[in-house]
Each structure stands twice: as C-alpha cells, then as structure tokens.
Amino acid sequence: AQRVTQPEKLLSVFKGAPVELKCNYSYSGSPELFWYVQYSRQRLQLLLRHISRESIKGFTADLNKGETSFHLKKPFAQEEDSAMYYCALSGNGDYKLSFGAGTTVTVRA
Amino acid sequence: GAGVSQSPRYKVAKRGQDVALRCDPISGHVSLFWYQQALGQGPEFLTYFQNEAQLDKSGLPSDRFFAERPEGSVSTLKIQRTQQEDSAVYLCASSTQGGSQPQHFGDGTRLSIL
C-alpha cells in the first residue's frame, strides 16, 4: 500500500524567512513524488515533480529514499506563497495519485 | 478549452436522490481521473479512464458510484441514492497519458447532501 504523510496541518512563517514543508511516504517500489499547490480561489495545480529536478517559484524538493521523504523548501518565503500544499505519490508504472492531507502555509508580512 | 471544466460547481441534494457530475477534460487528453476530497483531507482516487476505457475503478466507495466516458472525452460521475457521507468536493483531472504525466485539475464540484 502507498501512503503519504504531511505531519503539519498549518505552517506560519514571516516574509523572508525560510520555509520547509515535510512529506514522508511509504511505498515498496520506486515512486514518483509531486508537490501540488492550491492558491486561494484557484484550482489545484502542479508545483514541481522530483524527476524534473527543477526549482519552481524558488521552491525545491529532494527525494530522500533512505528517509522516504520529499520535503519542500524555499529559502525566503513571500506573501504570495500563502496557499495549501499537497504532497502526492504515484507508484512506479502507475497513474493514480495518492495525496497527503495537505499543509496550509501562511506567510505574514 | 483553456483547462478542465467541471459542472455544476455546487450541487445540493437530499439524501436518497441521484446526482450526476460532469467533467470536460482538456482537448486531446487521453487520461481522465476522478478524485473525492473530504473536508480537511487530500484528494482520494476514485477511478481512471484511458480514452473510453475505464481501466481502474478500485477507488469507488460503493456500487452506488458509477462513472462513464462513452466517447473518450466528456465524463460523468453518477452517484445513486446519495447519503450524507457522500458530501465532498469531487475533482476531475486529465493528462496527456497515464504514468508520470502531470495531471491538470478542474475546479471541482462541491456536493452537499442534506
């Protein structure tokens, strides 16, 4: 069975401070990991995926297979980063996504 | 269209009524997914289509839930004899193909069962 855990429901940081959203997963094979984001009054959209190894809007995430984690990080948070963030997993050769419960990030001025 | 379109945006029904939720995927997208999102939770997989073929319906919670995509484009999720626990946001997503391709989500239909 595959499972994604986001231990933090809420995360509040000051503008300019670093932010890290935790994501742990359980999966027996080689998963593909994603971060999706939902801004206020917008639809769920892909932020980044581990196979792309790119930085989007200043965010990065590294897949750590030893710790089964895929934490999302940004060195300097901006107010526009306030949103709901979901970590998601897709099994090797699979198509459906398994989501975590989400973390609400609030960036204060 | 510009993205995945879902209708209606909101649906209120009395317990026991049947409801139908519609999804218009991005033109040319082969894969279509339905997810259910309960309040305070992440989306949970319901079913998957590749073109008109329903390849996985393992996430459908009961036989009251039925989905179809007869022409490989628009899809309908039908819930019969609705119950209060069916209240949730139903999300549709499409992608160019299965596997690791990014899924593009619609705005969802918020279903409330009274």
Side-chain angles (χ1 to χ4, degrees), chain A residues 20-108:
Chain A
E20 180 179 32
L21 288 75
K22 291 185 167 49
C23 172
N24 290 92
Y25 67 90
S26 64
Y27 184 72
S28 56
S30 295
E32 183 160 359
L33 276 296
F34 305 82
W35 277 99
Y36 278 80
V37 61
Q38 187 167 26
Y39 301 103
S40 179
R41 290 184 292 277
Q42 293 187 27
R43 58 186 61 184
L44 194 61
Q45 59 186 281
L46 178 67
L47 180 61
L48 54 78
R49 47 200 293 212
H50 91 269
I51 64 170
S52 300
R53 293 186 172 275
E54 53 190 349
S55 173
I56 305 293
K57 298 184 179 182
F59 284 97
T60 59
D62 290 318
L63 179 60
N64 185 324
K65 293 186 178 181
E67 297 183 356
T68 60
S69 68
F70 188 56
H71 303 327
L72 183 69
K73 302 176 184 179
K74 184 169 182 176
F76 308 103
Q78 303 300 313
E79 289 181 76
E80 56 264 30
D81 297 327
S82 295
M84 172 72 89
Y85 292 80
Y86 294 95
C87 183
L89 174 155
S90 152
N92 188 24
D94 205 350
Y95 34 79
K96 57 190 172 188
L97 293 171
S98 296
F99 286 86
T103 298
T104 301
V105 172
T106 302
V107 180
R108 294 174 288 166

Side-chain angles (χ1 to χ4, degrees), chain A residues 9 32 43 49 86 95 97, chain B residues 4 37 40 100 103 105 107:
Chain A
K9 273 284 192 186
E32 183 160 359
R43 58 186 61 184
R49 47 200 293 212
Y86 294 95
Y95 34 79
L97 293 171
Chain B
V4 177
Q37 186 172 20
S100 62
Q103 295 183 22
F105 284 81
D107 287 321

